[in-house]
Amino acid sequence: MGLMPGTTDSFYRIQKLPPYVFAVINEMKARLRADQQDVIDLGMGNPDGATPRAVVHKLIEAARNPRNHRYSMSRGIPQLRREIVKRYEKNYGVNLDSESEAIVTIGAKDSLAHLLFAVIGPGDVVVSPNPAYPIHQYGVIMAEGQACMLPMPDAATFLSGLEDVYRGGTRPKVILISFPHNPTTTCVDLNFFREVIRLARHHGSYVVHDFAYADLGFDGYKPPSILQVEGAKEIAVEIFSMSKSYNMAGWRVGFCLGNAKMIGALARIKSYLDYGVFQPIQIASIIALRECEEDTEKIRALYQRRRDLLVEGLRRAGWPVESPRGSMFVWAPVPEAYREDGSLEFAKLLMKEALVAVSPGIGFGPLGEGFVRFALVENDHRIRQATRSIKQFLARKPVLAGK
Ligand SMILES: Cc1ncc(COP(=O)(O)O)c(C=O)c1O
């Protein structure tokens, strides 16, 4: 029997995309809030801070100029590409050609989805750690590639899994990685990237590094760029996002940098799909990259303080969690007593009983089960309130058990 028209299953690609697990949590949160319940939302990684003022002012000024109301350039205006290249030179000592090795994208998500669309064909294998940011897996599936998920309890285990893939005779077209890692918060040093690049070069794979949390390293740790590895740009690109480094998530500005062949492919696809980000936003982004280093440092320090509050608070609540070296998350194992029911049920319970929203690990892929992710996107006071409430909830467990 054919598929029913009108149902989403009748569309070839949509059949492969399950509904977002996070939607269940979001709906529950909306219902509770409609009932006047004060839910503390540590679910989605949506920065709560304001974009730097100088950037907003530049946007307003540029938006007043009718010349900026026309179609822009799909690969981004040259001044903005030059500015990101300067930032890479200054921060990482990496030299890039702003014409052939840098492209502006509509956030990192556009970079990732369309780069995979450009580079991956039917059956091409893409290796990435799991759990992961959903587009890392579904971008591959949408491009009709084969997503090969390797467990990542730590970076070394991922690396040895990757070696096993090659040893087994599979030659992935792309290795897709992202550090500091969402959701596990795993961080790596430059030697890890050296090893990935070495393996990929040896076996003829490309590497894509999603660097969305480039500036969110704690306690003196500075996340490295994969392009710092000598010769990396012969096979690798890095995706940088304005969303977290400058509190510009809603503005939708990111970049893909490095390997000219992959960037050329992405530019070609994008030339059919879009006319670039609204030009005043691109102009304002130049100001962010050029003048807002101090704001980035403040954002980093804020997440570090929130991390400390949340980790200490959870530990006091009898829930031991690891303190991350980077990212804007805490990745917490579901407490033993609740593990059997799975991370989604636990997240629902936490919302109902403690009025705290978190993301269930299963939403990041099968290997995310057994964990929940806290995003550090509420203020100090609310984080303290959340941990107090969680403490009370966990203390009630004996009563809840068996219900
Ligand atoms: C790993 C990762 N990549 C990309 C993104 C999205 O970045 P952008 O807002 O630039 O699309 C996120 C956002 O949460 C992320 O966690």
Side-chain angles (χ1 to χ4, degrees), residues 22-202:
F22 307 122
V24 178
I25 295 294
N26 284 339
E27 276 160 28
M28 197 172 162
K29 183 182 70 192
R31 269 199 310 276
L32 283 165
R33 283 186 167 167
D35 284 349
Q36 312 302 319
Q37 300 276 9
D38 179 19
V39 177
I40 301 172
D41 190 1
L42 306 176
M44 189 181 174
N46 194 355
D48 59 320
T51 302
R53 287 171 71 148
V55 182
V56 177
H57 284 153
K58 194 67 188 181
L59 170 71
I60 295 166
E61 184 193 305
R64 289 207 171 102
N65 184 344
R67 265 202 313 225
N68 292 325
H69 298 171
R70 313 185 71 190
Y71 291 127
S72 187
M73 294 170 77
S74 102
R75 66 198 183 104
I77 56 175
Q79 302 92 308
L80 179 55
R81 281 186 269 120
R82 283 200 286 272
E83 208 57 46
I84 187 68
V85 162
K86 273 193 216 153
R87 190 187 199 266
Y88 260 70
E89 199 168 356
K90 186 164 131 247
N91 286 8
Y92 306 110
V94 167
N95 291 309
L96 294 162
D97 172 28
S98 66
E99 271 303 299
S100 60
E101 296 174 336
I103 182 171
V104 181
T105 59
I106 308 168
K109 249 186 169 183
D110 170 39
S111 271
L112 280 162
H114 288 134
L115 182 65
L116 290 166
F117 198 50
V119 168
I120 298 303
D124 284 342
V125 174
V126 178
V127 173
S128 58
N130 193 270
Y133 188 55
I135 190 76
H136 289 190
Q137 186 188 337
Y138 287 101
V140 176
I141 291 169
M142 282 191 266
E144 300 194 36
Q146 220 179 300
C148 170
M149 294 176 270
L150 296 183
M152 196 181 59
D154 53 69
T157 306
F158 171 74
L159 212 48
S160 73
L162 182 60
E163 281 164 352
D164 289 345
V165 168
Y166 284 122
R167 228 175 272 132
T170 302
R171 201 198 72 178
K173 179 98 178 195
V174 168
I175 301 166
L176 171 51
I177 50 181
S178 179
F179 299 96
H181 187 248
N182 173 17
T184 68
T185 76
T186 306
C187 291
V188 297
D189 56 22
L190 198 55
N191 276 335
F192 171 86
F193 285 148
R194 285 197 183 102
E195 198 45 29
V196 171
I197 294 289
R198 188 191 67 75
L199 278 169
R201 277 178 99 157
H202 183 72

Side-chain angles (χ1 to χ4, degrees), residues 42 150 198 286 307 331 372 402:
L42 306 176
L150 296 183
R198 188 191 67 75
I286 295 172
R307 170 204 68 170
W331 183 238
V372 290

